[in-house]
Amino acid sequence: VNHRLPYLFLGDVGHEQSPDLAWEGHAGFIIAPEAAQASLVCMYPKDGSSMQLRCYGRHDASGPDSCVPGCVKPKKRSWCPHGTSGIAPHRNCATAPTGLRHMMQLQEEYTMAFLNDSSHRDCARGCCVYPRCQLYNELVLNSTALLEHLPGAVEAVYFVDAGYASNERRQASGETMARAWHRSLIAHLQRSNATDPCRPLLKVGFGEGEPFRLVSPYRVSTL
């Protein structure tokens, strides 16, 4: 299991509404492989700062001066040459969908080297928060293509276990957000008469053994 899991990033709009996203990196969705593959536009073996690559007006995504949101932009970032080795060159270029396996290998190599540095050992337990522990990869998905695969695109909702969160406040906020998302998702599936209206709520940890644990969508309180 790749324990650097996908989480929702709201972009500039989300940050304007809530400058301090306490839950960020501590809650998210498990995306179905077929939906991810169909909507994948580009990727990076670590933080790619994709939100800074915007395209305005009409643009040709296949031309020599192409601009692909989050991926490439003239004079700023281009596509990575096929077979580019080492993570350093990939900081300034985007990997095409056909390079998924290679990108994952680069990420794992970078992660091993990063954690072998004694000054980064704390990141092994509380993965992965920007800017201290950038052990995650970044995938840019086409939202239009992803929507075409709903509701099957979302297989589960998760939040990070308290024992592996960066701090107690982030964990609590992540759990609150995940439970709210899960309630909304189930309600939507039921209203739309989906064939399978059930989706699990999971808690994830980064230690030994099974990383995912099924949890009740209902909070249990004791008197």
Side-chain angles (χ1 to χ4, degrees):
V1 173
N2 177 2
H3 51 226
R4 286 162 288 284
L5 293 165
Y7 66 89
L8 180 66
F9 177 68
L10 294 179
D12 291 343
V13 174
H15 282 277
E16 289 171 0
Q17 295 174 345
S18 179
D20 183 16
L21 293 177
W23 57 268
E24 191 171 12
H26 288 67
F29 305 105
I30 305 299
I31 302 173
E34 58 273 17
Q37 292 172 2
S39 59
L40 183 58
V41 181
C42 72
M43 54 204 157
Y44 305 91
K46 58 179 302 187
D47 194 295
S49 299
S50 59
M51 63 281 193
Q52 298 179 11
L53 298 173
R54 301 181 181 183
C55 302
Y56 300 98
R58 299 183 61 182
H59 58 275
D60 180 6
S62 61
D65 295 323
S66 63
C67 183
V68 180
C71 301
V72 298
K73 189 171 185 177
K75 299 181 181 180
K76 286 195 173 182
R77 184 172 297 166
S78 59
W79 293 105
C80 295
H82 180 70
T84 303
S85 60
I87 197 165
H90 285 262
R91 293 173 179 169
N92 300 311
C93 64
T95 301
T98 53
L100 179 60
R101 180 183 294 274
H102 181 57
M103 185 278 291
M104 293 296 295
Q105 291 174 340
L106 286 176
Q107 183 199 4
E108 292 304 319
E109 292 171 4
Y110 168 75
T111 298
M112 291 179 62
F114 187 91
L115 294 179
N116 282 335
D117 185 334
S118 58
S119 65
H120 298 150
R121 293 292 170 81
D122 59 306
C123 293
R125 184 170 182 81
C127 174
C128 304
V129 179
Y130 178 90
R132 169 65 178 161
C133 303
Q134 297 184 49
L135 299 182
Y136 51 87
N137 56 42
E138 186 171 337
L139 276 66
V140 177
L141 305 181
N142 182 317
S143 59
T144 301
L146 189 62
L147 286 172
E148 292 176 354
H149 286 75
L150 288 177
V154 179
E155 292 189 336
V157 181
Y158 76 87
F159 60 89
V160 176
D161 192 327
Y164 300 94
S166 59
N167 60 54
E168 183 177 345
R169 178 166 163 270
R170 282 183 175 236
Q171 192 282 330
S173 296
E175 181 173 351
T176 297
M177 290 300 299
R179 289 184 179 278
W181 293 339
H182 186 260
R183 288 194 299 271
S184 296
L185 175 62
I186 297 303
H188 172 74
L189 292 173
Q190 292 174 340
R191 288 195 302 269
S192 60
N193 296 317
T195 304
D196 179 13
C198 298
R199 294 293 186 277
L201 177 63
L202 306 172
K203 179 163 58 176
V204 61
F206 308 131
E208 298 294 332
E210 295 293 331
F212 297 105
R213 288 171 54 192
L214 187 67
V215 296
S216 171
Y218 307 103
R219 290 183 183 271
V220 179
S221 59
T222 57
L223 299 177

